[in-house]
Each structure stands twice: as structure tokens, then as C-alpha cells.
Amino acid sequence: MCGPSVRVNGSPRPLVAAVVADLVREMGLDARRGIAVALNGTVVPRTEWVSRAVRDGDEIEIVGAAQGG
């Protein structure tokens, strides 16, 4: 992969997003509830998604809550 990239849930992805909120939106998850994002092993509160920068080489985990019983 050429150019800046990040790893999202273990898979390489070109870096297009400037902030976490942009990345979540790119992934089609912006309207979903129950999503958590960790950036380089640290959970990013939803209130910080619009200001937390995404940089080349970052490791991002995006997980969703699941119901079960």
C-alpha cells in the first residue's frame, strides 16, 4: 500500500480521514449506536471523535456492542 495508512481492526487501510469521526463515517458507522473506538490501545470517548486526529501508522479498533442471552 502506497502513501499514508492505518490499520483498522487489523487490516491495512489508506489514511483518508483526518479525525476519528471521519473514519467512523467512512466505514458507514456514523449513525450506529453502541460503537467504541480505540486508537493505539486507548479508548477514545465519543465526545472526542471530532477532535482526535488519525495519523499515519495508527492502530484503530472499532467494535460494536452485541446483544445476546
Side-chain angles (χ1 to χ4, degrees):
M1 183 174 297
C2 294
S5 66
V6 293
R7 289 186 75 78
V8 178
N9 295 346
S11 298
R13 180 180 183 89
L15 177 59
V16 177
V19 295
V20 170
D22 293 341
L23 178 63
V24 170
R25 194 171 13 266
E26 272 179 33
M27 310 261 323
L29 304 171
D30 59 328
R32 235 175 99 188
R33 295 219 175 254
I35 290 181
V37 176
L39 179 62
N40 299 319
T42 302
V43 174
V44 179
R46 187 178 290 263
T47 56
E48 294 180 19
W49 287 8
V50 295
S51 62
R52 186 67 63 95
V54 178
R55 295 185 173 90
D56 185 30
D58 279 347
E59 296 275 340
I60 299 136
E61 293 293 324
I62 302 174
V63 294
Q67 290 183 307

